[in-house]
Amino acid sequence: MIKPAVAVRGLTKVFPIPFRRTRVVAVRGLNLEVAPGQVYGLLGPNGSGKSTTLKIILGLVSPSSGSTEIFGRDSREVGSREAVGFLPENPYFYKYLTGAETLRFYGKLCGLSGVRLKSRTGELLELVGLQNARDRRLGGYSKGMLQRIGLAQALIQEPKLVVLDEPTAGVDPAGSRDIRDLILDLKRRGITVLLSSHLLAQVQEICDRVGILANGVLVREGRVEDLLAIENQTELILQNATPEVLNDIAALLKKSSARLIEQRQPQTTLERLFLEATKAPAER
Amino acid sequence: MSKSGHSRFSLTRIAALTGNTFTELVRLKVFYFLLIFALLLIGSSIFMAQLSFQQEFQVLKDVSLGAMSIFTSLLAIVATAQLIPHDVEERTIYTILAKPVPRYEYLAGKLGGVLLLLALSVVAMTALFLIALFVRQEMLVGVTLRQTSGLRPEQVQEAVRTLKASAFNVNLFPGIVVIYLKAALLASLTLFVSTFATSNIFTICVMVFIYFIGHLQAMAREYWLQQNSAGWIAKTFLALVALVFPDLQLFNLVDDIVAGTAIPGPLFAQTAVLGCVYISVYFFFAWVVFHGKEL
Amino acid sequence: MIRGALVALLLLAFGAVRVPIESSLAARHRSAYFHETRLGLDLREQIGQLGFLAALSGFRSLVADVIFIQAHVAWERTEWGRVLLLFREATTLQPRSILFWDMAAWHMAWNASVAARHDPSQPNEALRRKAEQEYFALGRDFLVRGIKNNPDRPQLYEALARLEKDKLGDHAAAARLYARAATLPGAPEYAERFAAYELSYAPGHERSAYAALLQLYRRGPRERLPTLLKRLEILEEQLDIPFDQRIPDGAR
Ligand SMILES: Nc1ncnc2c1ncn2[C@@H]1O[C@H](COP(=O)(O)OP(=O)(O)OP(=O)(O)O)[C@@H](O)[C@H]1O
Ligand SMILES: [Mg+2]
């Protein structure tokens, strides 16, 4: 049997609120599995327990009950994090280090050294598009740049599992596009990705599978296509359709039992518009 | 990297964390503030000594070593207090502990960075102190040569030799080592306090309190151990003070060394060992609190 | 919660293990003459809160130095009461400084006493003598306490011996102190000789004084200084030593 990349079993996390008698149940009886090579999206509104779940998987927070495993090793073992890269939400790094120094530091923590560390640092700066900022202090980085260096840091030791908490938060659409491409690239290379987000459109594009959390409970789970497909509807998008063609179609429909629900001019998305507009001057 | 390849203890990782902590501290403004202030004080001891009557070198040494003692201690507390809270607040700790880094290595790296910083500060202050002592000595040798110009050369040489003997004394070095150990002890204790403190201001306040009580602990201890007539409330109080607070007075040897006492070797060794035990035990306590801490 | 209790327990356990060790280490430090005088609480009142805190935190000696300088200034202004007070503080803070004890005693027994003896504001001769004696006693007290704190150094024994012979006229005590000083490392050569001289002045000690002087005499020509020869001659006379046992005239 092939071990899941991530397994969460009966996970519950209760935060006591100090000095008050109440407590917050952040995660309640969560079960999920991420197969190796998959891109898994954890969705949910603010405060639904996504970040808590990810932190427990990484051993940063201890579960109240239940357990989590990475490639079959309990999260409480330090060694389970050997082949894992993590990007926390809104990451901050040491402001006084430069981009390259930051990557070197995290590389050493993962046991890299010498030529390997050096080449890996260069590669990753290139990959996240920060080679021009490699010798600038992180104190002067923008939010999106921090997110990118965070991503590079998570990939430093070529992990088999990458955990990303809201990887595109605070990143401009072009950057967010880049990050999505990067995730797809990771997937092509067989790396498992577990990410959280509440930007559904983006998740829909890249995830194989999603789980939806609400108030710490997993309310939906499955393959993206399965969850989204509306089985008795079909969408047609026509180009250069003359009024006659449309009339013909209408006539055809009348003869069948099918019913036309909506007919409209498709619009480009704001995202696509933004991308076209901002890309043009830079590349001209 | 194979699954079993993860080592539970890696000096490279600790070295990376130590280096990083050291860089972090060196870029802190408070470090320069303290160091410059201490260096100024040591430098000015040359002139302070001039004001004093008959005991030039004693005042110079008292000022310099006193400055060294208090600034290393202060630096140890202030620098250590903000390390963990800063990492937690900025969430950099997530990125570090999400790597295969055991928590004791993280703590060891933090403490290591502080100890390195303290060591370099002590070396810098010692160097300046020795320079000040030498400059003062040469000034006085000049004066002595002028005053004794009529005397026989043996007598002049004798006077200069006595002067030099009272200026520099090898016993100063064990004294300085003990100053360092005291600061290291305080750093380790601060690390421990900061693992459960809610803010670094709180940690600093607690540590300043401990610093003063720690110098009185010996008094409480001796009263507790010897006085049988005290009421049980007083006894319990004294016992608590003695048991909870470290005895910092044991690490105040420079006063006596400056006054001319030689530290016997075994006594110095025992004091040094005690200091190291303190450092390790407080480090262990820090780990006990930190290893299961929610971040 | 549980971990908090565990840590508190560990802390107390560590305390229980180290307290006896520290207590004995502190005792060993004390017997190596560190920390002989404790900072008493009455001292706190004397030197004020700030000075006390400073004294506690590594600036003890420095505070002592400052007070010593203040004492010196007070002496220049002949404020004897202040001189006494300040020297008490300085010596309490830094009991290992020979200079502090020595200067304190000297100011009391040699300067303040003389000032009191000739105090123009006190017409009563008897009271002036009484004040003088009190300052002698204060000087003596400084040296006695100084010796208690520094039993291994010869200087204070010598200082006390000087005080005993010059101010209090107790030559037997002076002799004992010089003799004690002579046994300590770093003692000057003359200490032993002075002990014998002082003994020769002490009534009732003529025999032992004679024996001591003779012993020094026999060590060789280096010891045969004029005073030694003179004192021997006087004692020979006093004790009626037979002429054939007296030291030859040629040696004089
Ligand atoms: N350390 C903590 N102490 C107390 N409560 C906490 C703690 N961390 C999280 N919580 C609570 O747990 C719940 C889940 O928080 P979590 O951060 O996991 O949500 P999230 O899904 O990541 O939200 P967002 O989309 O805003 O990032 C929230 O109600 C939060 O207040
Ligand atoms: Mg979150």
Side-chain angles (χ1 to χ4, degrees), chain A residues 50-51 89 165-166 196:
Chain A
K50 304 181 295 289
S51 299
E89 61 184 330
D165 198 351
E166 307 199 10
S196 87

Side-chain angles (χ1 to χ4, degrees), chain C residues 15 36-37 46-47 78 89 137 145 151 168 179 195 203 209 213-214 221 230 241-242 247 249 251:
Chain C
E36 181 57 54
T37 310
Q46 287 178 28
I47 57 180
T78 64
E89 290 169 18
R145 280 193 295 133
L168 302 172
L213 287 171
L214 204 58
K230 189 82 205 138
I241 305 290
I247 53 171
D249 270 353

Side-chain angles (χ1 to χ4, degrees), chain A residues 13 82 94-96 106, chain B residues 6 27 87 90 95 294:
Chain A
K13 178 66 195 179
E82 207 163 56
Y94 293 107
K95 291 196 189 70
Y96 49 82
Y106 286 100
Chain B
H6 181 72
R27 308 221 170 140
D87 273 9
E90 302 275 88
T95 51
E294 306 274 0

Side-chain angles (χ1 to χ4, degrees), chain C residues 4 14 33 75 93 102 104-105 114 116 158 167 185 189 200-201 217 221 236:
Chain C
F14 176 48
Y33 313 120
W75 170 60
L93 282 171
D102 197 9
V114 175
E158 280 181 61
K167 294 294 173 182
E189 277 176 54
S200 77
Y201 290 114
Y217 174 84
E236 282 168 345

Side-chain angles (χ1 to χ4, degrees), chain A residues 49-83:
Chain A
K50 304 181 295 289
S51 299
T52 306
T53 307
L54 297 185
K55 282 184 209 164
I56 293 174
I57 290 171
L58 287 153
L60 297 170
V61 169
S62 53
S64 303
S65 69
S67 66
T68 58
E69 281 175 8
I70 297 174
F71 295 112
R73 296 178 77 176
D74 195 297
S75 295
R76 281 168 299 190
E77 283 176 49
V78 176
S80 69
R81 290 188 276 288
E82 207 163 56

